[in-house]
Amino acid sequence: MKTGVNSVAALILAAGASVRMGRTKPLLDLGGRPLLERVMQKVGRFSFREVVAVIGCDAESIRRHIAFSDKRFRWVVNRGYKQGQSLSLQRGMEAVKSHHVMVFLGDQPFIMEETIHTVYDEGVRQGEARQRPFVVRPHFRSVPGHPVFFGHVQQMDFTGLGGDQGAKRLIDDMDDVYALPVDDCMILFDIDTPRDYERANRMWRSENRLP
């Protein structure tokens, strides 16, 4: 891995089976574009060194239907996606070449760009100040959400993670975990169910002043 403190990758996790939704979440239409593509477009506006999306369920269909022309981007397919989000995180971390990684969820398209800037800037600042692993995680009213910034990932061991808990156990065992207050409730809004999807469509129409 490169050791430059400003070498930051974006890792988007979108490999789940969408059981609660009942259909493939990354391909849900949101304002005329697939949901995952909306997330990728937002992430692509930032100066990440690389952008990686981990997919699993219906991976071939997702790659056929999502267009994202960015030379920094590549897909990673997690064939073992049924084992839970932790394996997708492992596969993504194995694929990135950057020193730090900012982890996004593929079903959170409404996170404010200001929030992403805030987490990114704090992560880079912490990375310049220290040489050991750390995490910066945004909190809305003391509740943790995404995106999560992992610093000095080459010193972290993701192999012991399992199930659908993501990096929770790893973070719980770390000394340097920074809770970053943000005024953005969308860090907590995952589009998991049909009701969530209905809400997302209402929000999209409202934000874009559509009927």
Side-chain angles (χ1 to χ4, degrees), residues 177-197:
V177 179
Y178 301 92
L180 186 64
V182 298
D183 188 18
D184 183 3
C185 64
M186 291 295 102
I187 70 169
L188 308 177
F189 178 45
D190 303 353
I191 302 174
D192 286 329
T193 66
R195 179 172 292 184
D196 295 335
Y197 181 43

Side-chain angles (χ1 to χ4, degrees), residues 65-78:
H65 289 94
I66 292 182
F68 188 61
S69 57
D70 189 316
K71 64 182 180 181
R72 299 169 299 166
F73 176 75
R74 66 185 183 277
W75 297 107
V76 169
V77 178
N78 172 21

Side-chain angles (χ1 to χ4, degrees), residues 11 14 28 36 38-40 51 54 90 104-107 114 120 135 144-145 162-163 170 173 178 180 187 199:
L11 176 60
L28 291 175
L36 178 55
R38 290 295 184 193
V39 175
M40 292 158 63
V51 178
V54 182
Q90 290 176 39
F104 296 80
L105 300 183
D107 59 359
E114 179 183 352
Y120 181 98
V135 166
L170 177 67
D173 290 341
Y178 301 92
L180 186 64
I187 70 169
R199 179 187 174 193

Side-chain angles (χ1 to χ4, degrees), residues 29-41:
D29 182 275
L30 187 64
R33 297 280 185 180
L35 171 60
L36 178 55
E37 188 174 323
R38 290 295 184 193
V39 175
M40 292 158 63
Q41 287 174 337

Side-chain angles (χ1 to χ4, degrees), residues 21 50 72 194:
M21 183 63 68
E50 52 185 329
R72 299 169 299 166

